[in-house]
Every structure is written in structure tokens, then in C-alpha cells.
Amino acid sequence: MIDIALHDIKARTLGVPVYELLGGRQRDVVPALATTGAGPGEAMLEEARHFLAEGFQAIRLQRGLDRRAGEPEEIFEPRDAIAEAAEWLIQARAALGTTVVLGIDFHHRLSLAETASFCHKLPPGTIDFLEEPIRDETPEKYEALRRQTPIPFALGEEFASKWQALPYVERHITDFMRLDVCNIGGFTEAMKVAGWCEAHYIDLMPHNSLGPVCTAASIHFAAAVSNFA
């Protein structure tokens, strides 16, 4: 956050947007990723249709892991979850068409075998990315998973430095870098990771859930990088 604040102070002093300090604007509009709140089912499809009607071209379909106020604590059963999610993702692709970008986030809750099983339940082209199916402390396990599925991975929201991101870039075991500007160390570190990703043909899908400062920082970062997805 200190790095972000220092960039903001310098930009205000110079009278320019922060993205000018990062190399200049690459785009006039920063497209956003919409996330459904309902778990697999008709309500999820209705939310997704609403997002499409509002102009969103990328949608992350939830597995219903986010507890809502007043609802009982969910007990997560991986095998039930992957079977249900696979069934509704197939229906979602059929209902929403082939042009919209679809993905799902499992919030690190699967094992390697469960993730592979889930991927094998999906016909090719069902989803465009699979986010955080297993924990990211061991890159070798994502390499093992990569050998078992061609589905693109979206990883990196918890990376706390460029060094943590490095093996995932060098070994190309993520296809969408989900770095969080606030977690990675601010603009300085984020731009270094962005450059590495560009050189390795990896697109950026910044993670943003830490409040208005992170939102503003993410917009300027996304405006300034060429390989933004």
C-alpha cells in the first residue's frame, strides 16, 4: 500500500494520472469480469444472462462457496461439488454461447486428483479458465496437473512478491496471472511481473477484492499494461 500511495502522491504532484507513471495508457476502457453469486442452478444461469445483457463478456461462475448472511455454514464435499459444477457449466456454455469467456473458481478446495477428475468431466471448450483449484505453494503440483488437462489456469491472487510469481511464469503453469496489486507489493512489483508475463505470452487478469484503493490501483494498472485480458 505504501508503494501505491507514493505513486499517487507523485502523480498528483505532476498533475497526471497514475497510469502515465506506469508507461502510459494502453486502452480507453478496462473491461471487467463479472461473478455470479448463486451456486450451480437456474439462478446462476439467470445471473449470467443478466451480466451478458449488461455488456459483460467475461463471467466467473461460482460454485456457491460464498456464505450469505443468515444461511447455514456450508459443508464442502469435493466429489459432490465437482459433479454438480460440471453439469451446470456444460448447461451454461450451451445457454450463453461460445463467445463469452467463462470460468470457475474453486478457492483452493480441491486435491490434484479431484481437479483432474473435474476437468475430465468437461467437454473441450466448456470453460476458458479454471481458477485456484489447488493451493499454490507447490508449483510442481500445478505442473503435474497441467499434464492432465489443457484447460487454462488462472492463478496468483495470493502471491506476495514477484519471486512467488516467477516459477508460474517461467514454467508457464498459469495462463492468466491473477496478481493483486495490493498483495504483490504495489505498482512497482506488479509492473515487473506484467513484463515477465508479456515475454512469456501470459495474460493478466488482476484480482481485486480489497476495497476502493485496490479498485483504483487495479484500473490504472490495467490501463497501462499491454497484456491485459
Side-chain angles (χ1 to χ4, degrees), residues 7-202:
H7 276 81
D8 185 59
I9 291 169
K10 185 172 182 178
R12 289 174 185 271
T13 302
L14 296 174
V16 299
V18 170
Y19 59 70
E20 291 293 349
L21 304 183
L22 306 178
R25 188 177 66 196
Q26 297 277 348
R27 55 190 51 82
D28 296 324
V29 176
V30 175
L33 173 74
T35 301
T36 59
E42 288 295 339
M44 179 189 75
L45 292 184
E46 282 304 309
E47 280 190 86
R49 290 189 184 99
H50 171 74
F51 288 140
L52 276 180
E54 290 293 312
F56 287 95
Q57 291 300 308
I59 301 173
R60 186 177 64 166
L61 303 170
Q62 286 284 55
R63 223 296 300 157
L65 301 180
D66 296 331
R67 185 185 178 192
R68 297 184 176 185
E71 291 185 357
E73 189 74 38
E74 179 183 6
I75 297 176
F76 183 76
E77 297 291 351
R79 287 293 172 182
D80 293 340
I82 63 177
E84 182 185 39
E87 176 185 348
W88 281 97
L89 285 172
I90 293 169
Q91 292 189 46
R93 176 57 77 187
L96 302 174
T98 57
T99 58
V100 62
V101 174
L102 295 180
I104 188 170
D105 184 0
F106 272 98
H107 303 275
H108 310 114
R109 293 194 176 195
L110 302 182
S111 70
L112 194 152
E114 290 160 353
T115 305
S117 177
F118 169 71
C119 293
H120 294 160
K121 295 178 187 296
L122 299 177
T126 302
I127 57 175
D128 299 289
F129 67 89
L130 173 60
E131 183 176 352
E132 309 280 359
I134 63 176
R135 296 194 61 84
D136 57 31
E137 288 87 351
T138 311
E140 292 77 12
K141 295 309 173 186
Y142 268 106
E143 287 184 308
L145 187 58
R146 167 54 66 229
R147 292 191 290 269
Q148 299 181 58
T149 178
I151 295 176
F153 298 143
L155 312 171
E157 67 184 61
E158 296 182 347
F159 292 166
S161 73
K162 60 180 178 289
W163 307 116
Q164 196 172 354
L166 184 60
Y168 285 86
V169 176
E170 288 189 330
R171 304 180 200 176
H172 206 137
I173 41 181
T174 187
D175 303 280
F176 297 102
M177 177 59 70
R178 289 280 282 151
L179 67 81
D180 189 303
V181 176
C182 291
N183 286 339
I184 201 79
F187 290 120
T188 300
E189 294 291 88
M191 291 301 292
K192 292 175 182 178
V193 175
W196 291 345
C197 288
E198 182 181 11
H200 288 80
Y201 298 94
I202 295 171

